[in-house]
Amino acid sequence: MCKLGGFILFFIFPLLGGSYTTKTKELIKGKVVAITDGDTFKLLTKDSLLVRVRVANIDCPERKQPFSKRAKQFVSDAIFDKSVIIHVLKKDRYGRYISNVVYNDSLNLSHELLKYGLAWHYVKYSKDTILQNLEDQARLKKEGLWKDENAIAPWVWRDYKKKRAKK
């Protein structure tokens, strides 16, 4: 991408509905070298640093949950072995870069996962109305995981598993 393209993404994109960039602390460009699951991957930066990235504001199904494999495959098809730009919001307690991910010059990975019903909008950490609208539209269309009327959010799934493990 040319320097002008990066300028447009960083400064103009928020005006076009990509408001997430206003909170960005750092931009990092790199190549995706591994997909961990639907919302986590490894990025090799231009400086040859390997960083773990957690896609911001969404939560994909956990392993062993319905649509987990499909979410991981979608992410793999979309970004594996490709250059992406991450808009780092912060680092989490596991050292992962919580980031908005832009690929194919303009696609937002969070938006695409929600649009195809492969993730939940993580409202505990995000009040973004665009993300909520994308989830709501996928629900109405019964896209992806929304085909299951009893779909269990990953944070509920994790909480249940923790409580069961304590017994």
Side-chain angles (χ1 to χ4, degrees), residues 83-101:
S83 290
V84 300
I85 297 172
I86 62 169
H87 301 256
V88 180
L89 303 177
K90 65 180 183 176
K91 266 189 172 181
D92 70 7
R93 63 183 179 202
Y94 306 110
R96 299 177 300 186
Y97 287 52
I98 307 299
S99 307
N100 285 297
V101 180

Side-chain angles (χ1 to χ4, degrees), residues 13-38:
F13 195 68
L15 303 175
L16 301 174
S19 61
Y20 68 89
T21 56
T22 58
K23 297 178 183 175
T24 298
K25 294 182 180 178
E26 183 179 6
L27 293 176
I28 300 174
K29 186 172 183 177
K31 182 178 178 180
V32 177
V33 295
I35 307 296
T36 307
D37 57 30

Side-chain angles (χ1 to χ4, degrees), residues 11-167:
F11 292 104
I12 305 299
F13 195 68
L15 303 175
L16 301 174
S19 61
Y20 68 89
T21 56
T22 58
K23 297 178 183 175
T24 298
K25 294 182 180 178
E26 183 179 6
L27 293 176
I28 300 174
K29 186 172 183 177
K31 182 178 178 180
V32 177
V33 295
I35 307 296
T36 307
D37 57 30
D39 50 34
T40 312
F41 62 91
K42 292 180 182 174
L43 183 75
L44 185 62
T45 70
K46 287 185 174 185
D47 300 329
S48 297
L49 296 173
L50 187 63
V51 295
R52 291 180 301 148
V53 179
R54 171 69 166 78
V55 182
N57 304 318
I58 56 109
D59 204 1
C60 287
E62 293 291 322
R63 287 185 187 108
K64 298 186 180 180
Q65 267 193 285
F67 288 90
S68 172
K69 289 179 182 176
R70 192 175 295 173
K72 182 178 179 179
Q73 187 63 53
F74 178 89
V75 171
S76 182
D77 292 344
I79 66 172
F80 180 71
D81 204 31
K82 295 180 183 173
S83 290
V84 300
I85 297 172
I86 62 169
H87 301 256
V88 180
L89 303 177
K90 65 180 183 176
K91 266 189 172 181
D92 70 7
R93 63 183 179 202
Y94 306 110
R96 299 177 300 186
Y97 287 52
I98 307 299
S99 307
N100 285 297
V101 180
V102 176
Y103 67 102
N104 291 353
D105 292 328
S106 63
L107 294 175
N108 177 307
L109 189 56
S110 298
H111 291 187
E112 297 302 304
L113 283 162
L114 287 167
K115 183 166 82 172
Y116 290 103
L118 298 171
W120 279 257
H121 175 213
Y122 211 161
V123 293
K124 179 177 179 180
Y125 299 105
S126 166
K127 305 296 181 217
D128 188 322
T129 56
I130 293 169
L131 296 176
Q132 190 58 54
N133 185 49
L134 289 167
E135 180 183 308
D136 293 344
Q137 291 300 312
R139 281 180 186 245
L140 284 172
K141 294 177 183 177
K142 296 194 183 301
E143 291 283 346
L145 61 90
W146 302 116
K147 291 175 184 172
D148 180 356
E149 292 182 17
N150 298 313
I152 299 170
W155 54 89
V156 174
W157 175 275
R158 289 188 297 265
D159 189 48
Y160 174 74
K161 284 184 76 174
K162 283 180 193 173
K163 286 179 181 174
R164 240 176 75 185
K166 288 181 181 180
K167 288 183 179 181

